Coordinates of all heavy atoms in Angstrom, one line a residue:
F236 N 71.2 101.5 78.4 CA 71.3 102.3 79.7 C 72.0 101.5 80.8 O 72.8 102.1 81.5 CB 69.8 102.6 80.1 CG 69.7 103.3 81.4 CD1 70.0 104.6 81.5 CD2 69.4 102.6 82.6 CE1 69.9 105.3 82.7 CE2 69.3 103.2 83.8 CZ 69.6 104.6 83.9
G237 N 71.8 100.2 80.8 CA 72.4 99.4 81.9 C 73.9 99.4 81.6 O 74.7 99.4 82.6
E238 N 74.4 99.3 80.4 CA 75.8 99.3 80.1 C 76.4 100.6 80.5 O 77.5 100.7 81.0 CB 76.0 99.0 78.6 CG 75.7 97.6 78.2 CD 75.9 97.3 76.7 OE1 76.1 98.4 76.0 OE2 75.8 96.2 76.3
K239 N 75.7 101.7 80.2 CA 76.2 103.1 80.5 C 76.4 103.2 82.0 O 77.3 103.7 82.6 CB 75.3 104.1 80.0 CG 75.4 104.3 78.5 CD 74.4 105.4 78.0 CE 74.5 105.6 76.5 NZ 73.6 106.6 76.0
R240 N 75.4 102.6 82.8 CA 75.4 102.7 84.2 C 76.6 101.9 84.8 O 77.3 102.4 85.7 CB 74.1 102.2 84.8 CG 74.0 102.3 86.3 CD 72.7 101.7 86.8 NE 72.6 100.3 86.4 CZ 71.5 99.5 86.6 NH1 70.4 100.1 87.1 NH2 71.6 98.3 86.2
D241 N 76.8 100.7 84.2 CA 77.9 99.9 84.6 C 79.3 100.6 84.4 O 80.2 100.6 85.2 CB 77.9 98.6 83.9 CG 76.7 97.7 84.4 OD1 76.2 98.0 85.5 OD2 76.4 96.8 83.7
K242 N 79.4 101.3 83.2 CA 80.6 102.0 82.9 C 80.8 103.1 83.9 O 81.9 103.4 84.3 CB 80.5 102.5 81.5 CG 80.6 101.4 80.4 CD 80.6 102.0 79.0 CE 80.7 100.9 77.9 NZ 80.6 101.5 76.6
C243 N 79.7 103.8 84.2 CA 79.8 104.9 85.2 C 80.3 104.4 86.5 O 81.2 105.0 87.2 CB 78.5 105.7 85.3 SG 78.0 106.6 83.8
H244 N 79.7 103.3 87.0 CA 80.1 102.8 88.3 C 81.6 102.3 88.2 O 82.3 102.5 89.2 CB 79.2 101.6 88.6 CG 77.9 102.0 89.0 ND1 76.8 101.1 89.1 CD2 77.3 103.2 89.3 CE1 75.7 101.7 89.5 NE2 76.0 103.0 89.6
L245 N 82.0 101.7 87.1 CA 83.4 101.3 86.9 C 84.4 102.5 87.0 O 85.4 102.4 87.6 CB 83.5 100.5 85.6 CG 85.0 99.9 85.4 CD1 85.4 99.0 86.5 CD2 85.0 99.2 84.0
A246 N 84.0 103.5 86.2 CA 84.8 104.7 86.2 C 84.9 105.3 87.6 O 86.0 105.8 88.0 CB 84.3 105.7 85.2
R247 N 83.8 105.4 88.3 CA 83.8 106.0 89.6 C 84.7 105.1 90.6 O 85.4 105.7 91.4 CB 82.4 106.0 90.1 CG 82.3 106.7 91.5 CD 80.8 106.8 91.9 NE 80.8 107.5 93.2 CZ 79.6 107.6 93.9 NH1 78.5 107.1 93.5 NH2 79.6 108.2 95.1
G248 N 84.6 103.8 90.4 CA 85.4 102.9 91.3 C 86.9 103.1 91.0 O 87.7 103.2 91.9
R249 N 87.2 103.3 89.7 CA 88.6 103.5 89.4 C 89.1 104.8 90.0 O 90.2 105.0 90.5 CB 88.8 103.5 87.9 CG 88.7 102.2 87.2 CD 88.8 102.3 85.7 NE 88.8 100.9 85.1 CZ 88.7 100.8 83.8 NH1 88.7 101.8 83.0 NH2 88.7 99.5 83.3
H250 N 88.2 105.9 89.9 CA 88.6 107.2 90.4 C 88.8 107.1 91.9 O 89.8 107.7 92.4 CB 87.5 108.2 90.1 CG 87.7 109.5 90.7 ND1 88.6 110.4 90.2 CD2 87.1 110.1 91.8 CE1 88.6 111.5 90.9 NE2 87.7 111.4 91.9
L251 N 87.9 106.4 92.6 CA 88.1 106.3 94.1 C 89.4 105.5 94.4 O 90.1 105.8 95.4 CB 86.9 105.6 94.7 CG 85.6 106.4 94.6 CD1 84.4 105.6 95.1 CD2 85.7 107.7 95.5
F252 N 89.6 104.5 93.6 CA 90.8 103.7 93.9 C 92.1 104.5 93.7 O 93.0 104.4 94.5 CB 90.8 102.5 92.9 CG 92.0 101.6 93.1 CD1 92.1 100.7 94.1 CD2 93.1 101.6 92.2 CE1 93.2 99.8 94.3 CE2 94.2 100.8 92.4 CZ 94.2 99.9 93.4
I253 N 92.1 105.3 92.6 CA 93.3 106.2 92.3 C 93.5 107.2 93.4 O 94.6 107.5 93.9 CB 93.1 106.9 91.0 CG1 93.2 105.8 89.9 CG2 94.2 107.9 90.8 CD1 92.9 106.4 88.5
M254 N 92.3 107.8 93.9 CA 92.4 108.8 94.9 C 92.9 108.2 96.3 O 93.6 108.8 97.0 CB 91.0 109.4 95.2 CG 90.6 110.3 94.0 SD 91.7 111.7 93.7 CE 91.5 112.6 95.2
G255 N 92.4 106.9 96.5 CA 92.9 106.2 97.7 C 94.4 106.0 97.7 O 95.1 106.1 98.7
D256 N 94.9 105.6 96.5 CA 96.3 105.4 96.3 C 97.1 106.7 96.6 O 98.2 106.7 97.2 CB 96.7 104.9 94.9 CG 96.4 103.4 94.8 OD1 96.2 102.8 95.9 OD2 96.4 102.9 93.7
R257 N 96.6 107.8 96.1 CA 97.3 109.1 96.2 C 97.3 109.5 97.7 O 98.3 110.0 98.2 CB 96.5 110.2 95.4 CG 96.7 110.0 93.9 CD 96.0 111.1 93.2 NE 96.2 110.9 91.7 CZ 95.6 111.7 90.8 NH1 94.7 112.6 91.2 NH2 95.8 111.5 89.5
N258 N 96.2 109.3 98.4 CA 96.1 109.6 99.8 C 97.1 108.7 100.6 O 97.8 109.2 101.5 CB 94.7 109.4 100.4 CG 93.7 110.5 99.8 OD1 94.2 111.6 99.4 ND2 92.5 110.1 99.7
R259 N 97.1 107.4 100.3 CA 98.1 106.6 101.0 C 99.5 107.0 100.7 O 100.4 106.9 101.6 CB 97.9 105.1 100.5 CG 96.6 104.5 101.2 CD 96.6 103.0 101.0 NE 96.5 102.6 99.6 CZ 95.3 102.5 99.0 NH1 94.2 102.6 99.7 NH2 95.2 102.2 97.7
A260 N 99.8 107.4 99.5 CA 101.1 107.8 99.1 C 101.5 109.1 99.9 O 102.7 109.2 100.4 CB 101.2 108.1 97.6
K261 N 100.5 110.0 100.0 CA 100.8 111.2 100.8 C 101.1 110.9 102.3 O 102.0 111.5 102.9 CB 99.6 112.2 100.7 CG 99.5 112.8 99.3 CD 98.3 113.8 99.3 CE 98.1 114.4 97.9 NZ 97.0 115.3 97.9
R262 N 100.3 110.0 102.8 CA 100.5 109.6 104.2 C 101.9 108.9 104.4 O 102.6 109.2 105.3 CB 99.4 108.7 104.7 CG 98.1 109.3 104.9 CD 97.2 108.5 105.8 NE 96.9 107.2 105.1 CZ 95.8 107.1 104.3 NH1 95.0 108.1 104.0 NH2 95.6 105.9 103.7
N263 N 102.3 108.1 103.4 CA 103.6 107.4 103.5 C 104.7 108.4 103.4 O 105.7 108.3 104.1 CB 103.7 106.4 102.4 CG 102.8 105.2 102.6 OD1 102.4 104.9 103.8 ND2 102.4 104.5 101.6
D264 N 104.5 109.4 102.5 CA 105.6 110.4 102.3 C 105.7 111.2 103.6 O 106.9 111.5 104.0 CB 105.2 111.4 101.2 CG 105.4 110.7 99.8 OD1 106.1 109.7 99.7 OD2 104.8 111.2 98.8
S265 N 104.6 111.5 104.2 CA 104.7 112.3 105.5 C 105.3 111.5 106.6 O 106.2 112.0 107.3 CB 103.2 112.6 105.9 OG 103.2 113.3 107.2
M266 N 105.0 110.2 106.7 CA 105.6 109.3 107.7 C 107.1 109.2 107.4 O 107.9 109.2 108.3 CB 105.0 107.9 107.7 CG 103.5 107.9 108.2 SD 102.7 106.3 108.0 CE 103.7 105.4 109.1
N267 N 107.5 109.1 106.1 CA 108.9 108.9 105.8 C 109.7 110.2 106.1 O 110.8 110.1 106.6 CB 109.1 108.6 104.3 CG 108.6 107.2 103.9 OD1 108.7 106.3 104.8 ND2 108.2 107.0 102.7
K268 N 109.1 111.4 105.9 CA 109.7 112.6 106.3 C 109.9 112.7 107.8 O 111.0 113.1 108.2 CB 108.9 113.8 105.8 CG 108.9 114.0 104.3 CD 108.1 115.2 103.8 CE 108.1 115.3 102.3 NZ 107.3 116.5 101.9
E269 N 108.9 112.3 108.5 CA 109.1 112.3 110.0 C 110.1 111.4 110.4 O 110.9 111.7 111.3 CB 107.7 112.0 110.7 CG 106.6 113.0 110.5 CD 105.4 112.6 111.1 OE1 105.3 111.5 111.7 OE2 104.4 113.4 111.1
Q270 N 110.2 110.2 109.8 CA 111.2 109.2 110.1 C 112.6 109.7 109.8 O 113.6 109.5 110.6 CB 110.9 107.9 109.4 CG 111.9 106.8 109.8 CD 111.7 106.3 111.2 OE1 110.7 106.6 111.8 NE2 112.7 105.6 111.8
D271 N 112.7 110.4 108.7 CA 114.0 111.0 108.3 C 114.5 112.0 109.3 O 115.7 112.1 109.6 CB 113.9 111.6 106.9 CG 113.8 110.6 105.8 OD1 114.1 109.4 106.0 OD2 113.3 111.0 104.7
K272 N 113.5 112.8 109.8 CA 113.9 113.8 110.8 C 114.4 113.1 112.1 O 115.4 113.5 112.7 CB 112.7 114.6 111.2 CG 112.3 115.6 110.1 CD 111.1 116.4 110.5 CE 110.7 117.4 109.4 NZ 109.5 118.2 109.8
K273 N 113.8 112.0 112.5 CA 114.2 111.2 113.7 C 115.6 110.6 113.4 O 116.4 110.7 114.3 CB 113.2 110.2 114.0 CG 111.8 110.7 114.5 CD 110.9 109.6 114.8 CE 109.5 110.1 115.3 NZ 108.6 109.0 115.6
I274 N 115.8 110.1 112.3 CA 117.1 109.5 111.9 C 118.2 110.5 111.9 O 119.3 110.3 112.4 CB 117.0 108.7 110.6 CG1 116.1 107.5 110.7 CG2 118.4 108.3 110.1 CD1 115.8 106.8 109.4
T275 N 117.9 111.7 111.4 CA 118.8 112.8 111.4 C 119.2 113.2 112.8 O 120.4 113.4 113.1 CB 118.3 114.0 110.6 OG1 118.0 113.6 109.3 CG2 119.3 115.1 110.5
A276 N 118.3 113.4 113.6 CA 118.6 113.7 115.0 C 119.4 112.6 115.7 O 120.3 112.9 116.4 CB 117.3 114.0 115.8
G277 N 119.0 111.4 115.5 CA 119.7 110.2 116.0 C 121.2 110.2 115.5 O 122.1 109.9 116.2
S278 N 121.3 110.5 114.2 CA 122.6 110.5 113.6 C 123.5 111.5 114.2 O 124.7 111.2 114.4 CB 122.5 110.7 112.0 OG 121.7 109.7 111.4
I279 N 123.0 112.7 114.4 CA 123.8 113.8 115.0 C 124.2 113.3 116.4 O 125.4 113.5 116.8 CB 123.0 115.1 115.1 CG1 122.7 115.6 113.7 CG2 123.7 116.1 115.9 CD1 121.8 116.8 113.6
L280 N 123.3 112.8 117.2 CA 123.7 112.3 118.5 C 124.8 111.2 118.5 O 125.7 111.2 119.3 CB 122.5 111.8 119.3 CG 122.7 111.2 120.7 CD1 123.3 112.3 121.6 CD2 121.4 110.7 121.3
A281 N 124.6 110.3 117.5 CA 125.6 109.2 117.4 C 127.0 109.7 117.0 O 128.0 109.3 117.6 CB 125.1 108.2 116.4

């Protein structure tokens, strides 16, 4: 029972870690898109 509980905690931890990575990736993609828009506007002005 203890081994099963440890495995469940480990699996849950991995799931949370993966979800955290995905959320960070989404935030980074959003920031990159906003930065690209700013660079595009600056490029047009230049």
Side-chain angles (χ1 to χ4, degrees):
F236 176 77
E238 290 177 352
K239 289 181 180 179
R240 183 182 60 187
D241 292 341
K242 289 180 179 179
C243 288
H244 287 168
L245 181 60
R247 184 179 179 185
R249 288 177 178 173
H250 175 72
L251 293 174
F252 180 77
I253 293 172
M254 291 300 295
D256 281 348
R257 289 177 179 175
N258 291 333
R259 282 192 294 271
K261 289 180 179 179
R262 287 196 297 270
N263 290 335
D264 289 341
S265 177
M266 292 175 64
N267 288 335
K268 289 179 180 179
E269 292 180 0
Q270 185 66 17
D271 288 341
K272 291 180 180 179
K273 292 180 181 179
I274 291 174
T275 300
S278 298
I279 293 174
L280 177 59

